[in-house]
């Protein structure tokens, strides 16, 4: 497992990270007393530990079994065989970070599910089997786009908390785009609309930007809400 570390110590810190995480645990221990960094070796050693720790903390890790970590380092530098093989150690690291990520994601997934469950109780909201929900703001009759068409639309996008992340109305410029290049919630939703209609779509993360989100504006597992006005189907 490779990690990108800071302060131009990538190679040294990556090796150190792997060695020190052989016996990774979840029980926190009391931190050691402050050290007096008297020699070049003292300073370099402390800096390596800090570099590794900053990287792990940035990945969501909040604690280690410090005694096990130190024992692993001492064993390796003493030439002893680690208590965990290279392969098993790598698997242990990956399994731990996977479980950590799952714990961090659970509240986000639950919040998205709760929002949609409450939202579909509204009389004006129609819920589809895919999970997509929508309201008809302005009805229209006529041609509807296919999944392979391009369309011209005005739209506004917000998160479930009401925070707006994009609006063609504010730019005063409608967008022309292909339905082959948008999120699945748009593909499904636009095919319900006739030219001249305006709908509000509540798009679950599975039909939106999924587990990764999109940049800083759309967090992971976000329900996104779009008001879309279909102006024309491009030929």
């Amino acid at each position: 497992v490779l990690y990108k570390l800071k302060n131009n110590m990538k190679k040294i810190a990556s090796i150190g990270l792997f060695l020190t995480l052989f016996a990774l645990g979840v029980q926190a221990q009391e931190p050691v007393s402050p050290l007096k960094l008297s020699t070049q070796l003292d300073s370099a050693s402390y800096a390596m530990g800090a570099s590794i720790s900053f990287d792990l903390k940035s990945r969501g890790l909040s604690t280690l079994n410090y005694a096990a970590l130190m024992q692993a380092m001492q064993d390796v530098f003493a030439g002893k065989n680690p208590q965990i093989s290279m392969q098993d150690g790598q698997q242990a690291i990956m399994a731990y970070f996977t479980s950590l990520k799952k714990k961090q994601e659970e509240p986000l997934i639950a919040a998205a599910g709760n929002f949609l469950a409450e939202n579909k109780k509204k009389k004006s909201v129609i819920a589809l089997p895919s999970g997509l929900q929508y309201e008809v703001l302005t009805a229209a009759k006529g041609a509807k786009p296919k999944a392979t068409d391009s369309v011209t639309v005005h739209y506004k996008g917000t998160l479930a908390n009401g925070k707006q992340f994009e609006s063609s109305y504010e730019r005063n410029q409608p967008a022309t785009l292909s339905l082959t290049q948008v999120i699945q919630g748009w593909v499904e939703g636009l095919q319900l609309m006739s030219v001249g209609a305006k709908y509000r779509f509540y798009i679950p993360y599975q039909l939106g930007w999924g587990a990764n989100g999109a940049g800083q504006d759309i967090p992971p597992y976000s329900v996104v809400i779009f008001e879309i006005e279909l102006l024309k189907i491009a030929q």
Side-chain angles (χ1 to χ4, degrees), residues 196-230:
K198 184 176 182 179
Y199 284 20
R200 180 182 293 122
F201 293 102
Y202 302 88
I203 302 176
Y205 66 86
Q206 299 94 328
L207 303 179
W209 282 275
N212 296 321
Q216 297 181 346
D217 293 327
I218 303 175
Y221 299 101
S222 288
V223 174
V224 288
I225 303 168
F226 280 97
E227 291 184 9
I228 304 176
E229 184 180 358
L230 180 56

Side-chain angles (χ1 to χ4, degrees), residues 91-113:
Q91 290 176 351
I93 294 169
M94 292 175 65
Y96 186 77
F97 275 100
T98 298
S99 65
L100 186 65
K101 186 173 184 290
K102 184 177 179 181
K103 289 180 181 179
Q104 293 170 337
E105 291 172 343
E106 285 174 352
L108 302 177
I109 295 172

Side-chain angles (χ1 to χ4, degrees), residues 15-25 65-84 89 93:
I15 295 172
L17 175 61
F18 184 77
L19 295 177
T20 57
L21 287 180
F22 273 122
L24 182 65
N65 182 329
Y66 303 111
L69 184 145
M70 289 301 300
Q71 185 62 57
M73 294 190 71
Q74 291 171 356
D75 288 347
V76 169
F77 280 104
K80 299 179 181 179
N81 289 327
Q83 296 181 36
I84 302 178
I93 294 169

Side-chain angles (χ1 to χ4, degrees), residues 74-148:
Q74 291 171 356
D75 288 347
V76 169
F77 280 104
K80 299 179 181 179
N81 289 327
Q83 296 181 36
I84 302 178
S85 69
M86 293 282 283
Q87 182 177 355
D88 290 345
Q90 198 169 31
Q91 290 176 351
I93 294 169
M94 292 175 65
Y96 186 77
F97 275 100
T98 298
S99 65
L100 186 65
K101 186 173 184 290
K102 184 177 179 181
K103 289 180 181 179
Q104 293 170 337
E105 291 172 343
E106 285 174 352
L108 302 177
I109 295 172
N114 290 339
F115 174 85
L116 291 170
E118 288 300 313
N119 192 64
K120 72 178 181 181
K121 294 178 182 178
K122 299 176 183 176
K123 292 182 178 180
S124 60
V125 171
I126 300 170
L128 301 178
S130 65
L132 181 67
Q133 299 178 10
Y134 69 94
E135 293 178 277
V136 178
L137 303 181
T138 303
K141 294 182 179 181
K144 296 180 179 180
K146 300 184 295 294
T148 54

Side-chain angles (χ1 to χ4, degrees), residues 3-16 51:
Y3 296 91
K4 294 181 180 179
L5 304 182
K6 301 176 182 178
N7 302 325
N8 298 318
M9 298 175 65
K10 292 180 181 179
K11 184 174 181 181
I12 294 174
S14 293
I15 295 172
S51 179

